[in-house]
Amino acid sequence: MRGDPGGYRSRTEPTGVEVAVKDLLVAVLSLCALAVVALGGWWVLTESELFADSAAEADPAETAGAFAAAWERGDAESLAELAREDDDTVRATYEQFAEGLMADSDALEVRPGPTEQVQDGRARTPVAVTVDGPFGEVSWDVELETVRERGAWGVVWSTATVHPSLRPGMVFDVVREEVDRAPILAVGGQELAGEREQVTVGFEPGTVADRDELVATFEEVLPDTGEIVERLYARGGLVDDWFYPVISLPAEQADEVRAALRGVRGVVLRSGTGRALYDAGFAHHVVGVVGPVTAEQLERLGPSYASGDEVGQFGLEAVYESDLVDAVRIRAVLRERAEGAVHEVLGEALAGGLDAVRTTLDVPVQQAVENALAGVEDEAAIVVVDAADGAIRAAASRPLTAYNRAFEGRYAPGSAFRLVTGEALLAAGNVPGSEVVCDERTTVGGRTVTNAEGPALGTTSLQQAFAAGCDTTLATLAADALGPEGLAAAAERFGVGTQPQLPVPSFGGSFPTPADTTELVEAAVGLGRVEVSPLQLASMAAAARSGVWHPPSLMVDDEPDEARQLAAGTLDDLRTLLRAAVTDGDAVAAAGAAGDGATGELVEGVAGTARTSGGERHAWFAGSWGQYGFAVLVEDGGSGAEVAAPIAGRLVDEFELQLAADG
């Protein structure tokens, strides 16, 4: 070792090539390490930071829910952020939606349904939209389509996302418009009064050649109008070249009278659109008419009316005046553009009035009543009531120019009150076969009673005496078997004295409990202090058909008042008595020309004659046919058997014709 000149060596020294290789390897390894670090850092950033903000929206149902919630609260900014569409377009659309339809921020409800995955990264969610406003509640359905892009979910937006009919450029809007005078409807929906093509018949005084001829012609061609012409002349001050309207007719009816009126100088017919009844005089007193507003009406109706306006003069036209004219129709619409044409009506409602006044009147039944009274020149009335519920199906009074005696008239019912007295006697234990006495005249409790129609049957059955109209029998039995309380209880079961809850004036009858036997006898035969209207007697006749008295009603939406049951076990026997009066008694003329029971329905009822202290003799018929109870009155007409019963017979014939035609 001493012989080595360089001393001791621990390892072999690298050469220059080896150093170069080593440096290159270190550099490569350093670059790889840096790449790995960079890749890991990018992965961490992407997964932990880039996706962190969309984690809450990674579920398409949550995205649809967030969109619906933002719409409901009116958050246009959030809607724009969630939608895959230009932010300004989305924001502006929802802002216009809110401005156009929603006066109240709580008026909108947006409810998403279950989300359905259509394919990976795409889903659909049904959404129900409801807006509640002055136009009512409007609803529609849309569909939200959600897609995932770069890991985040968003809504594929179009105008159809807001409403299926919305197109670019369209706007939402609320439109308010005043409506014409609302119609008055029958139960079947027909317009009893409404706007239609019509002809107004009147005259010009300056061209009238003969006033008497003018009045006579009007009265002959259009009954009850002659009196109107006379009243116009009587008030004086007529201007020669002015047109004075007398009556308005549907255009088709005017054609029937045009020829008859054309030859009379001064008569003028003017065509146009206006308020008219279903037919001339049809349900005239109940429905009413419109006419120029008077000074008194102007003061009562207030500043919304002006001289020259037409207003309801009586009947339902007057009662519902403000409801008929004050309505404003409010519509939610889609327009082509602001102030542009309406593309679609989304919903509508009325404010401040009614879309229609709906009555229980039935057109075929009313037509039957009008036809039955055709040619009747006396003061008369007919009312028809549905036995099932008390609904008034028809009513008419004559003359047309007088008051509504069908509802408001107060008359002694006379022997038509047998409906009540007969039921009371049956409730007291009598039967149709009970033996009774029918004398022409009798005195009970100091009161002399005479049979109105004059029968004197002697000893007979209750059925025969009832059918013949033996007031003497009823008076005697009332004093012997009923007493004041018994008869008063029966009157109460038939609703006598109950005020009808109708929108128009009416009278429900009067039956003070008799104070003594004399008053009891008078009450039993429908005289003394007993009074009814045709309306009340019709409702009583309906009760005698069904066994239940229903308070009469006129409006479809009226809540029914409490009904009253007739005495238990009396209905069948009462109907037997009423039927006998038509087959063998004083009401045979009510069977009708077609023959009783020709259509399977039998007439039941009684005629009645009421002699009053004033010397009048009111003629009555009270009875039923099918589902209807009805009363016929001819004021001071004489015998019920000879005057009212034949009109009832015509009514039954008309029932069969009109109802068969109506199907």
Side-chain angles (χ1 to χ4, degrees), residues 379 410-411 609-619 635-638:
E379 296 168 327
R410 297 169 176 243
Y411 305 96
T609 305
R611 291 193 180 98
T612 69
S613 58
E616 297 174 314
R617 297 177 72 221
H618 303 316
E635 187 173 327
D636 197 20

Side-chain angles (χ1 to χ4, degrees), residues 106-177:
D106 296 329
L108 177 63
E109 183 176 88
V110 184
R111 291 290 177 263
T115 297
E116 176 188 4
Q117 288 274 154
V118 178
Q119 60 189 51
D120 186 36
R122 187 174 294 272
R124 291 178 184 150
T125 305
V127 174
V129 181
T130 302
V131 183
D132 191 6
F135 40 77
E137 187 175 274
V138 179
S139 298
W140 63 87
D141 295 325
V142 295
E143 185 176 76
L144 297 183
E145 183 176 1
T146 48
V147 296
R148 187 178 60 217
E149 295 179 356
R150 294 189 299 275
W153 288 90
V155 174
V156 179
W157 192 89
S158 71
T159 53
T161 307
V162 185
H163 188 281
S165 300
L166 183 65
R167 301 291 181 269
M170 288 185 183
V171 295
F172 293 93
D173 197 8
V174 175
V175 179
R176 289 171 170 82
E177 62 179 18

